[in-house]
Amino acid sequence: MSRRMALSVAAGAVVLVGAGAYALAYAGEQPPALTHSTARYTAPEGGRDGSLTFATSVTASSGVKNVKVLAWPQNSSFAKNKLTAKDMAAAEPAVCVPFKKHTATCTYRIATTASDAGSSPRGVWHVAVLATARNGATTLDTQAADFLVK
């Protein structure tokens, strides 16, 4: 192999190794990803409480630190003034259970009384989710799932 060709091969290898290291470092900085988000609302009936159950899978390369959930009606002020991470500060936490190395299954459940249902706006509601990874990266999905209150 000629010296020029050997230098070209060596330079190419250095570029490939550097690009691979950059790709790994960049992948580690990705914000959490939400998948398979579902919401199920059951109205109170016959003296029984209803409930809202929300579930999602969260994947974060550094691990999942926490997930906060907020249900909001489509005709609320959040529709006009976009919901922010700051708005989510007082939201309630979901319970997250590790599923795979970097993925957790998170569930949020709240009971709904007849009084709650009677005073809630009718129509479409959205579920907002703020997922925080162990490295501090966050993802806010203001409409991770929807449900209908009749």
Side-chain angles (χ1 to χ4, degrees), residues 28-150:
E29 296 173 10
Q30 294 296 310
L34 297 144
T35 57
H36 309 296
S37 298
T38 61
R40 189 180 76 197
Y41 173 75
T42 304
E45 185 178 357
R48 288 182 155 176
D49 285 347
S51 66
L52 168 63
T53 303
F54 171 78
T56 190
S57 291
V58 183
T59 302
S61 58
S62 65
V64 178
K65 181 178 179 182
N66 65 46
V67 173
K68 292 190 172 191
V69 178
L70 175 69
W72 58 280
Q74 181 171 312
N75 59 354
S76 74
S77 63
F78 289 137
K80 294 177 189 169
N81 309 324
K82 300 292 183 190
L83 188 64
T84 66
K86 186 176 179 180
D87 295 322
M88 296 293 291
E92 295 182 1
V95 174
C96 295
V97 177
F99 176 68
K100 292 183 180 177
K101 184 175 181 180
H102 302 291
T103 303
T105 300
C106 301
T107 305
Y108 170 80
R109 182 178 165 89
I110 188 168
T112 307
T113 66
S115 175
D116 294 335
S119 63
S120 295
R122 303 291 181 245
V124 176
W125 284 60
H126 305 292
V127 178
V129 179
L130 177 65
T132 304
R134 293 200 185 281
N135 68 2
T138 61
T139 295
L140 173 62
D141 186 342
T142 60
Q143 296 182 22
D146 300 325
F147 63 96
L148 182 64
V149 175
K150 294 181 183 181

